[in-house]
Amino acid sequence: LTLGAGGGATFSAGMISDGPGEWRVTSGDPDDDENPADSFLEFSQPMTEVYSELYNVPSGVVFWRGRVDAAAERLLVVDGLAISESKNAGAGKLVNKLTGGGGFAREGRFSARAVLPGDDPSTLPQPVSIELYDDDVEPEQAAAGMGQRKRKRKAGTAPEKGFGS
């Protein structure tokens, strides 16, 4: 995720989107039991048509929100939550309790850290595929040598196949 100076958010490194989103920083909302002194990063991710249908996101947009922890050694976003509008607005008490109600579905939780232009490229986030590591190793060997295992790219994830830019 790259946050642009004009409030635009662009996605890469495995985050699929149907174009740029928007971002902003807001204060905590006391009505939601948040500290007004806390800052929250919020951004929108327009989903591709395929992802919208596959993950049942009728609005085509996932909204992300997390608390900014500026006291850390490096700027962090913690306690993040990703939500989308739900077709099942009247899905029942349990769904409303789990998602906060209001016609939204919880898509997931997240945390993040700031990446600066001078950061060592080997420390930067990398795209993740379904098949992250070679699987021709016994579990005991895999646990012992996890740090030495080589990443592999799943067939069909090269940019020329439409995943990435």
Side-chain angles (χ1 to χ4, degrees):
L1 170 68
T2 302
L3 305 176
T10 55
F11 302 89
S12 62
M15 289 189 74
I16 306 297
S17 74
D18 192 30
E22 297 179 353
W23 72 274
R24 66 182 182 175
V25 175
T26 62
S27 299
D29 185 354
D31 291 338
D32 287 332
D33 296 324
E34 296 173 344
N35 184 343
D38 286 341
S39 295
F40 288 82
L41 172 66
E42 300 176 339
F43 61 95
S44 60
Q45 179 183 14
M47 303 302 294
T48 63
E49 185 177 344
V50 170
Y51 273 69
S52 291
E53 290 178 17
L54 185 63
Y55 294 106
N56 193 21
V57 180
S59 69
V61 178
V62 174
F63 301 96
W64 302 70
R65 185 173 195 267
R67 184 173 54 83
V68 176
D69 182 358
E73 179 180 321
R74 169 168 272 187
L75 187 71
L76 300 174
V77 178
V78 297
D79 304 325
L81 183 63
I83 63 170
S84 67
E85 290 183 283
S86 172
K87 283 184 179 176
N88 301 325
K93 292 180 183 178
L94 178 60
V95 170
N96 286 336
K97 178 145 180 78
L98 292 174
T99 63
F104 291 95
R106 182 186 309 181
E107 300 295 339
R109 296 188 169 279
F110 75 98
S111 61
R113 70 173 175 91
V115 175
L116 305 175
D119 285 347
D120 178 1
S122 67
T123 67
L124 300 180
Q126 300 296 314
V128 177
S129 71
I130 293 171
E131 296 175 14
L132 183 58
Y133 295 101
D134 289 323
D135 294 329
D136 58 352
V137 178
E138 293 298 319
E140 297 79 23
Q141 292 172 324
M146 191 59 135
Q148 294 124 23
R149 295 181 82 192
K150 302 271 190 230
R151 286 180 178 245
K152 72 173 186 177
R153 180 180 282 269
K154 182 178 178 187
T157 60
E160 65 271 16
K161 306 269 181 167
F163 294 94
S165 56

